[in-house]
Amino acid sequence: LSQKEFEMTAAINEANRTIANSDSDIQKTAQYGRTLTNGLQRIMELSGIGRDKILVDVGHGMGNIPIQAAYTGLVKEARGIELVSSRHLIAEQMLQCLEEERLQIFLKAWPNKAINSVGDVRLRHGKLEDPAHRSFLVGVDLAIVNNAHGVFAERAQMKLKNKRGSGRNFVVDDYVAGLFAAMKPGSVMFTFWSIDSRLGPSRSEANALRRKHKLSDKDSDDASFYECEEFDLNKKGESMVSWGSLSTVQTIFKYTRLRQKGRKEAMFLCCNPGCENAQKSIALQAERILEPTIEKRKLPDGKTIDVREEGKLIVGRCPCGVDMQTSHRRSRRGGKIEI
């Protein structure tokens, strides 16, 4: 089977319709889509990340991005995490077969030479919001998240609402935003769907809002922890992804985690003119860990058990109650920002 034919099998696309309860009892679907080899090459060029860095692919599918990145020398280590167990198993098998073939070819061609090395590939099966995977996902220089067309937002069809606190209905993109906030300054995340509404205003936007509302007459590094740029992935009409058509322009979003002087954690300033925190320029921590929950999980043998889900990481709001995620709107095209 060709890769395209293989991607049509149930092992890959069954989760497009429904996810096995053993993989997730909250998320109902996980749409499959693959970034092509030239698409990854374009992302690497835009990232500015060097070959001595670490990459992670959030939702690695069949493992194409981590394997390509490691085996072509784009990074020293390529990681991946995949929710759907059948996709992850295929990725592990592909990696094993490729490594066996690589060693056979090398030993046949150069029997008296030391085996050349390629970058490390580390793949995991699990949920990106699981705290057990947090250090694995945030301890990188570059994260790639294929959340195109809202598949990590409302299209993920999360079953339950978070009824604690504000009662927000958290989706996968909320957890992606939390991971980005926890990444080290200088790191980069590319997404195929905007997560602005999960992150709040960028630094330039927050500073503009604060000047507008006379909260400050000068810019502050504490205003926000990131900036974002938009790019056309297939600017010349090339096929860069496995979905859509050549006439469809695929926009990608580059989020850069900014340094904030004297800060270890990501911080932000409230932009609500009626908020005391905003008026006093009190910096607030962006990372917020939700309270643990008890969730039902169905085992392969049909039994249902209660599983304690430890606190998931999101980007928080100011206690004043004004939603920093939706208090602004933007249009980056042409450099215009509307506030």
Side-chain angles (χ1 to χ4, degrees):
L1 293 177
S2 67
Q3 185 161 22
K4 283 188 177 181
E5 291 172 329
F6 199 81
E7 289 172 339
M8 296 301 293
T9 63
I12 298 298
N13 66 23
E14 179 64 27
N16 293 352
R17 297 179 291 275
T18 182
I19 292 177
N21 194 266
S22 56
D23 285 335
S24 175
D25 55 339
I26 300 298
Q27 186 175 338
K28 294 177 64 178
T29 65
Q31 185 68 36
Y32 178 82
R34 174 168 51 93
T35 302
L36 306 183
T37 54
N38 55 341
L40 175 59
Q41 190 66 47
R42 167 84 169 140
I43 289 174
M44 295 302 298
E45 292 169 358
L46 292 171
S47 73
I49 297 298
R51 295 174 179 267
D52 60 338
K53 304 298 182 181
I54 301 174
L55 168 153
V56 67
D57 182 19
V58 177
H60 66 63
M62 294 174 64
N64 293 279
I65 284 180
I67 292 173
Q68 178 188 344
Y71 273 65
T72 59
L74 294 175
V75 293
K76 71 174 183 180
E77 182 180 317
R79 303 175 181 178
I81 188 167
E82 174 57 50
L83 174 65
V84 181
S85 55
S86 57
R87 295 174 185 172
H88 174 72
L89 178 60
I90 291 168
E92 291 277 23
Q93 293 172 338
M94 282 182 57
L95 178 60
Q96 180 180 348
C97 292
L98 181 60
E99 181 63 9
E100 290 174 355
E101 185 176 356
R102 183 183 76 86
L103 294 178
Q104 289 176 1
I105 292 174
F106 188 92
L107 291 173
K108 184 176 181 180
W110 300 283
N112 299 319
K113 288 187 177 183
I115 298 174
N116 69 325
S117 62
V118 296
D120 293 331
V121 179
R122 298 172 60 194
L123 304 177
R124 288 190 181 184
H125 169 241
K127 297 187 289 187
L128 65 90
E129 65 267 30
D130 187 339
H133 302 303
R134 192 168 296 158
S135 60
F136 177 78
L137 296 173
V138 304
V140 301
D141 304 284
L142 171 62
I144 299 175
V145 184
N146 183 353
N147 58 347
H149 303 296
V151 297
F152 279 10
E154 284 65 32
R155 285 186 63 190
Q157 299 183 44
M158 309 296 277
K159 291 181 183 177
L160 301 178
K161 290 187 177 182
N162 177 72
K163 296 183 180 179
R164 301 176 185 273
S166 65
R168 283 173 57 196
N169 185 15
F170 297 116
V171 295
V172 182
D173 273 343
D174 284 302
Y175 308 134
V176 170
L179 292 175
F180 172 69
M183 291 171 67
K184 62 186 177 183
S187 55
V188 173
M189 174 180 282
F190 279 92
T191 69
F192 285 70
W193 192 257
S194 171
I195 58 171
D196 293 0
S197 63
R198 318 294 173 179
L199 291 172
S202 68
R203 180 177 294 177
S204 57
E205 293 166 341
N207 278 318
L209 272 170
R210 289 177 57 77
R211 286 195 301 272
K212 176 183 178 180
H213 296 307
K214 296 181 172 52
L215 294 168
S216 178
D217 58 359
K218 60 182 180 180
D219 290 348
S220 170
D221 286 351
D222 284 341
S224 181
F225 54 92
Y226 82 97
E227 288 290 359
C228 180
E229 302 169 85
E230 290 182 21
F231 297 94
D232 292 335
L233 185 63
N234 51 340
K235 61 180 180 178
K236 296 180 181 179
E238 312 97 321
S239 179
M240 296 283 193
V241 293
S242 65
W243 65 92
S245 63
L246 290 176
S247 61
T248 302
V249 176
Q250 175 62 62
T251 301
I252 56 174
F253 302 84
K254 178 184 179 181
Y255 294 91
T256 301
R257 176 73 167 79
L258 301 178
R259 290 176 172 81
Q260 295 176 292
K261 188 175 181 180
R263 308 289 189 186
K264 292 183 179 180
E265 295 83 15
M267 310 294 287
F268 70 92
L269 295 176
C270 182
C271 300
N272 172 20
C275 174
E276 185 176 357
N277 287 326
Q279 296 165 1
K280 294 182 177 180
S281 297
I282 297 175
L284 305 170
Q285 187 169 336
E287 300 168 46
R288 175 190 165 200
I289 297 179
L290 300 175
E291 294 182 33
T293 58
I294 303 297
E295 299 174 2
K296 300 287 185 181
R297 184 161 304 166
K298 189 174 183 179
L299 301 177
D301 62 5
K303 294 181 180 179
T304 300
I305 60 173
D306 288 338
V307 177
R308 178 184 171 90
E309 289 281 340
E310 295 301 327
K312 300 168 184 176
L313 182 64
I314 62 166
V315 173
R317 303 169 174 175
C318 178
C320 73
V322 173
D323 190 351
M324 66 172 281
Q325 278 90 346
T326 58
S327 62
H328 71 293
R329 51 194 176 88
R330 80 180 92 228
S331 174
R332 291 199 184 90
R333 293 295 182 181
K336 180 183 179 182
I337 298 177
E338 298 179 0
I339 299 174

